[in-house]
Amino acid sequence: MQRASTWTLALALFALTACAAPRKSNLKAPSDPYPAHTIKPMTGGPPPWVGQEMSWEKLEAINAWLANQGAASDPYWRVEGRLQLAEGRMRFYRNERTTADESINRQRISTARADFMRVKADSRASEGQLRRAKRGLASSANIKAKVPGRLPAGVMPRSRWGSRKAKHYNLTKAEDPWRYITIHHSALEESVSTVSTQSGAKTALRKMQKYHMDSRGWGDLGYHFLIDSRGQVYEGRSMHWQGAHAGRDNHNRNNNVGNIGICLIGNFDKIRPTAASLRSLKKLVLNLRQQHRIPSNRIRGHMDWKQTECPGEYLLPFVRQLARG
Ligand SMILES: [Zn+2]
């Protein structure tokens, strides 16, 4: 009797353990922006925000969850919540840094860093979570050192002309101060009427970017800014990165270091630049000069760096005029 009851108890215990054992998790949500890590199955099931697409609503949901149900939840999910909050903020910083106020940019980075540090110091974080926290800290430290200012007023951010994602591994960080502004023309084959509409200009930008990335093998469009014939200014390569527009000098020194590249769309060996595009160029140059303390005599045409007709005979006189201040 004694023996039988021991067995019964053992069996019951076994069954209980089996029930309580973690279920095989199937939490592979393709819409989750962080599907790479394996989510370990835990008791209580995943919180409702797991697998949701990244959005401000999701970040708010995580925040609310951490303050309420999260407190009694499995530590794994609390760490995961904090981590996703930090990763989400970094993502919003990256996507909106050119249009958001600088104070918002700074706040996003510092809040994300604080959360990454909390995760890093949390003994309950899994190895994968620790790795993500360290990665997040490293990339946010890079940004913290150099948060770029807002785009000058009136500049259309690259996200609005259908820009491709830059290949950051193929770009050089702009670590030197900006000392020069160099002006180019695109010398595009397109007829004037094609690029004189906004959609035409956007198409021309995408085409130029494709050429720079796919045919020339660069990480992004070579110029930092572009201007169409209606005077619209577009963000090209982010000023996080050195440009690719001025080549190398006779001593193989890179002329792109500290050199902002501006390109007017059109062939100004054949046509005259419009008054609207020249007005925008002047305004942009003044803005950049003020922001980066660049003297007027550091305004160049491409031809000042290498043998080329760029920026074209009809644009060159205006470049010289800008250089006189
Ligand atoms: Zn040029």
Side-chain angles (χ1 to χ4, degrees):
M1 187 68 194
Q2 184 67 35
R3 200 179 164 83
S5 82
T6 310
W7 271 108
T8 318
L9 193 69
L11 265 173
L13 262 174
F14 176 77
L16 246 171
T17 324
C19 284
R23 283 168 288 125
K24 277 253 179 294
S25 173
N26 223 351
L27 286 170
K28 227 176 111 206
S31 59
D32 192 308
Y34 311 104
H37 66 274
T38 13
I39 294 172
K40 291 202 179 72
M42 291 284 173
T43 50
W49 43 263
V50 169
Q52 275 178 23
E53 202 129 356
M54 183 50 71
S55 63
W56 275 117
E57 289 73 31
K58 175 174 181 172
L59 295 191
E60 274 160 18
I62 298 177
N63 237 338
W65 181 85
L66 280 171
N68 298 294
Q69 309 95 298
S73 166
D74 196 291
Y76 177 87
W77 293 118
R78 288 209 296 280
V79 172
E80 184 60 27
R82 204 158 290 292
L83 199 47
Q84 291 208 17
L85 266 184
E87 289 170 334
R89 283 209 171 85
M90 290 298 290
R91 176 187 285 218
F92 279 108
Y93 161 76
R94 287 204 179 86
N95 291 348
E96 296 171 5
R97 64 175 177 78
T98 50
T99 44
D101 277 339
E102 202 163 332
S103 60
I104 292 177
N105 282 335
R106 285 185 190 282
Q107 200 189 352
R108 281 177 182 166
I109 293 166
S110 60
T111 316
R113 281 182 66 76
D115 275 337
F116 282 134
M117 278 191 261
R118 277 179 75 169
V119 171
K120 204 182 143 202
D122 196 327
S123 58
R124 296 158 306 182
S126 73
E127 260 177 55
Q129 288 173 327
L130 274 180
R131 264 199 306 276
R132 279 157 64 203
K134 283 181 192 162
R135 208 165 42 226
L137 270 177
S139 74
S140 61
N142 271 340
I143 294 167
K144 201 178 164 225
K146 195 175 179 156
V147 178
R150 291 183 69 163
L151 276 180
V155 177
M156 184 184 288
R158 46 190 283 131
S159 56
R160 283 190 38 212
W161 55 262
S163 162
R164 271 162 64 175
K165 206 170 167 345
K167 294 175 183 164
H168 292 170
Y169 58 84
N170 217 359
L171 295 171
T172 307
K173 271 231 155 70
E175 277 159 348
D176 288 61
W178 297 108
R179 296 187 302 268
Y180 295 98
I181 298 173
T182 298
I183 294 153
H184 303 258
H185 71 157
S186 66
L188 278 179
E189 301 294 311
E190 271 92 347
S191 70
V192 183
S193 58
T194 315
V195 292
S196 62
T197 62
Q198 180 151 94
S199 69
K202 285 180 178 180
T203 307
L205 293 189
R206 290 194 293 268
K207 208 167 148 188
M208 197 191 297
Q209 186 182 39
K210 182 174 164 52
Y211 174 68
H212 286 183
M213 291 178 81
D214 297 345
S215 303
R216 311 202 73 162
W218 298 343
D220 197 356
L221 200 59
Y223 313 107
H224 295 106
F225 298 97
L226 301 104
I227 302 176
D228 71 16
S229 60
R230 296 166 317 115
Q232 174 65 55
V233 185
Y234 304 87
E235 180 190 26
R237 180 180 299 207
S238 156
M239 282 182 63
H240 262 311
W241 312 103
Q242 236 169 58
H245 57 92
R248 289 180 175 271
D249 70 8
N250 296 336
H251 308 286
N252 203 29
R253 270 194 298 260
N254 190 345
N255 292 329
N256 293 301
V257 178
N259 195 343
I260 304 172
I262 303 176
C263 176
L264 265 72
I265 302 171
N267 186 338
F268 304 115
D269 273 327
K270 295 188 177 153
I271 55 164
R272 289 175 192 280
T274 61
S277 64
L278 293 179
R279 261 198 309 275
S280 293
L281 174 63
K282 185 174 181 180
K283 199 171 138 200
L284 177 65
V285 164
L286 276 176
N287 219 317
L288 292 168
R289 278 188 51 206
Q290 271 169 7
Q291 199 177 344
H292 303 285
R293 297 168 196 275
I294 303 172
S296 64
N297 61 9
R298 297 271 183 80
I299 295 168
R300 304 279 148 99
H302 191 180
M303 54 167 40
D304 299 320
W305 298 104
K306 64 172 276 194
Q307 192 138 21
T308 168
E309 297 300 310
C310 181
E313 66 167 299
Y314 295 119
L315 179 54
L316 187 63
F318 194 74
V319 174
R320 297 296 182 236
Q321 196 183 316
L322 286 175
R324 285 195 294 271

